[in-house]
Amino acid sequence: MVSTRQTAAERRVAVLSAAVTEFAKSGYSGTSTDAIAIRAGISQPYLFRLFGTKKDLFIATYDQVGTRIVKELSRAIEGLDREEAMQAMGMAYLHLMQDPRCSRFRCTATPPRQAIRDRRRLSKDFEVLWHMVKDKLGLDQEMIQDFFANGMLISVMSAIDLLSVKESWAQSICPGSEKFDAMMAISEARKGNGDVATAQAS
């Protein structure tokens, strides 16, 4: 008979997945480790055996989301020149933001005050992306700043589903028809799976 018991590594994966969902929904302060443990299907004491403290769990979750972003954007630019690579990175990020847990986590799950001393670790993905766009794509300082500013704008728009606001001021914030269409697709996809209704009810 083959055992279906999960290893510690598999449990960590399950906990991190649950943590992304819970932290994205309620932020750091509003999220209980008990809620994360229940969603992951483990006991709260075992959660602490895996991650030590709530702060350590948050940082590990933050690392996971950042690593996912870096991995997808790195994959998107393989074999492309600068102009094509920039477009590909933008579309890859938009695709990532179709996961409401990812967009909300990046925008609403503010690191706890006691984690600020780990600022080097919390900014790791930004550092990797900075080197990617500067060294691989050759962007200058102004273009790098625009790159990160646009990324944060997309994150915020995705997190609050701004394109569901039909007024022209809201829909004009996202420049370019291709990106606008992609953002609209994200908005419609969320409505289709009931995410927007859930967010409004919470």
Side-chain angles (χ1 to χ4, degrees):
M1 182 175 179
V2 178
S3 174
T4 58
R5 185 175 181 179
Q6 288 184 310
T7 65
E10 290 170 334
R11 291 292 191 188
R12 285 180 63 88
V13 170
V15 172
L16 288 172
S17 178
V20 171
T21 299
E22 294 297 330
F23 283 133
K25 182 171 63 176
S26 304
Y28 180 83
S29 298
T31 299
S32 70
T33 52
D34 187 49
I36 296 173
I38 290 171
R39 181 177 288 275
I42 64 172
S43 67
Q44 190 179 45
Y46 188 60
L47 181 148
F48 286 119
R49 282 177 56 192
L50 292 172
F51 291 95
T53 66
K54 179 181 176 181
K55 183 204 76 172
D56 291 335
L57 172 57
F58 178 89
I59 293 176
T61 307
Y62 198 95
D63 281 347
Q64 185 194 54
V65 172
T67 298
R68 180 186 176 193
I69 291 171
V70 169
K71 180 179 179 180
E72 292 300 321
L73 268 58
S74 297
R75 182 183 299 167
I77 68 172
E78 291 180 358
L80 301 179
D81 61 27
R82 185 172 77 173
E83 191 65 30
E84 291 178 331
M86 290 178 64
Q87 290 293 326
M89 288 178 78
M91 296 309 296
Y93 193 67
L94 281 168
H95 180 73
L96 282 167
M97 292 300 104
Q98 290 186 45
D99 182 349
R101 303 182 313 154
C102 187
S103 59
R104 288 184 191 148
F105 183 87
R106 296 292 285 191
C107 291
T108 65
T110 305
R113 184 172 300 176
Q114 62 267 35
I116 296 302
R117 63 178 175 270
D118 296 305
R119 62 175 62 87
R120 176 70 176 175
R121 184 175 174 186
L122 291 171
S123 64
K124 181 177 65 178
D125 56 310
F126 281 91
E127 180 182 3
V128 174
L129 290 172
W130 184 88
H131 281 290
M132 186 188 303
V133 297
K134 182 178 186 298
D135 300 336
K136 291 187 178 181
L137 303 185
L139 303 190
D140 60 28
Q141 186 64 30
E142 184 176 356
M143 295 174 74
I144 292 172
Q145 291 175 347
D146 286 344
F147 170 82
F148 282 103
N150 285 331
M152 292 305 297
L153 175 61
I154 290 170
S155 296
V156 172
M157 291 181 69
S158 298
I160 64 175
D161 193 29
L162 187 61
L163 289 186
S164 67
V165 179
K166 299 304 182 183
E167 296 176 31
S168 59
W169 69 265
Q171 298 192 25
S172 67
I173 291 177
C174 185
S177 60
E178 187 177 10
K179 290 185 179 179
F180 179 87
D181 290 343
M183 291 291 291
M184 284 299 294
I186 293 170
S187 178
E188 293 303 317
R190 288 188 178 177
K191 291 175 184 177
N193 65 25
D195 181 69
V196 172
T198 300
Q200 293 173 341
S202 61

